[in-house]
């Protein structure tokens, strides 16, 4: 994996920007995330922005667009050809149990599972396709997809930007970072809910 990082970091800046779009875009649309996590291109583009070779805003736009568009394509692929693709993919490439976990998450949480799944590597590449297969309305899907993709991409771009030359430590704990972000988001809304409830009671 380190050789991939070095290769990407040595590319011309505009190609690194393309990687920031393509890695998250291909993650769910072509199930690439089952093998290579999408945050690699996003984090490394943040590192290049840290070096002054790319504007942070451009990296953010490319990363968010890749995450949202890629998941939308994954949704459509799942809706049209999901069952056919699953029946032909070998178990070593795609663990069918993970897809069942994704479907189960959708059954239990509906559109919210699209948001939750964005922050865990095990589900991120599978949830969009599973959402399409399960018949989740696209309007509901795209709302949670855009929300989760925007927060996820922004967080990992900024992590790469702040980490700079220490980016390898981010790669080692990327999945835990994603889970920590999700826990932080949930904690924020829980605190806000109870604070609002308390203020309403005292009103």
């Amino acid at each position: 994996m380190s050789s991939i990082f070095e290769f990407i970091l040595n590319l011309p800046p505009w190609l690194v920007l393309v990687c920031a779009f393509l890695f998250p875009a291909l993650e769910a649309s072509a199930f690439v995330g089952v093998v290579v996590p999408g945050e690699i291109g996003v984090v490394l583009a943040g590192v290049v922005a840290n070096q002054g070779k790319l504007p942070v805003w451009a990296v953010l736009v490319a990363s968010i667009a890749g995450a949202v568009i890629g998941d939308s394509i994954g949704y459509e692929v799942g809706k049209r050809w999901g069952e056919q693709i699953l029946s032909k993919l070998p178990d070593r490439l795609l663990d069918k149990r993970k897809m069942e976990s994704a479907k189960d998450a959708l059954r239990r949480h509906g559109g919210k599972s699209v948001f939750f799944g964005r922050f865990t590597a095990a589900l991120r590449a599978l949830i969009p396709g599973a959402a399409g297969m399960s018949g989740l309305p696209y309007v509901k899907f795209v709302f949670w997809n855009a929300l989760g993709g925007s927060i996820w991409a922004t967080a990992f771009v900024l992590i790469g930007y702040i980490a700079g030359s220490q980016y390898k430590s981010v790669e080692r704990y990327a999945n835990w970072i994603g889970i920590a972000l999700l826990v932080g988001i949930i904690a924020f809304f829980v605190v806000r809910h109870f604070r609002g409830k308390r203020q309403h009671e005292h009103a």
Side-chain angles (χ1 to χ4, degrees):
M1 194 68 78
S2 293
S3 58
I4 295 175
F5 296 162
E6 295 301 326
F7 174 76
I8 293 174
L9 287 174
N10 287 318
L11 290 172
W14 70 270
L15 273 179
V16 176
L17 195 61
V18 171
C19 288
F21 173 83
L22 282 181
F23 272 66
L26 292 174
E27 190 169 42
S29 61
F31 298 111
V32 170
V34 175
V35 181
V36 180
E39 61 259 21
I40 288 176
V42 175
V43 169
L44 293 181
V47 173
V48 173
N50 171 277
Q51 297 169 351
K53 298 176 183 177
L54 283 172
V56 176
W57 69 263
V59 178
L60 286 169
V61 169
S63 302
I64 292 171
V68 174
I69 292 171
D71 280 15
S72 291
I73 294 172
Y75 173 93
E76 196 61 31
V77 169
K79 182 179 178 180
R80 292 174 181 269
W81 306 289
E83 296 297 344
Q84 293 173 260
I85 293 171
L86 277 181
S87 64
K88 293 177 181 177
L89 282 175
D91 289 340
R92 60 185 170 78
L93 185 60
L94 177 61
D95 188 341
K96 303 299 191 296
R97 290 172 298 181
K98 289 183 178 179
M99 180 56 82
E100 288 306 315
S101 295
K103 289 180 180 178
D104 183 56
L106 282 159
R107 281 191 291 269
R108 287 186 286 114
H109 304 293
K112 291 178 183 177
S113 61
V114 177
F115 179 85
F116 295 145
R118 163 57 60 182
F119 298 91
T120 58
L123 294 176
R124 190 164 56 245
L126 303 177
I127 281 283
M133 291 167 66
S134 70
L136 181 74
Y138 181 71
V139 172
K140 186 177 289 187
F141 170 82
V142 79
F143 170 78
W144 291 105
N145 173 38
L147 182 62
S150 298
I151 294 172
W152 173 86
T154 300
F156 275 99
V157 167
L158 295 179
I159 286 169
Y161 184 82
I162 293 167
S165 61
Q166 304 302 313
Y167 67 90
K168 289 183 180 178
S169 60
V170 175
E171 178 269 330
R172 198 175 303 127
Y173 302 107
N175 194 42
W176 289 109
I177 291 171
I179 293 171
L181 282 170
L182 179 58
V183 170
I185 291 165
I186 293 171
F188 169 78
F189 283 108
V190 168
V191 169
R192 195 175 76 164
H193 170 75
F194 282 107
R195 186 174 292 172
K197 191 175 181 181
R198 194 174 301 159
Q199 288 174 349
H200 179 73
E201 289 172 351
H202 290 294

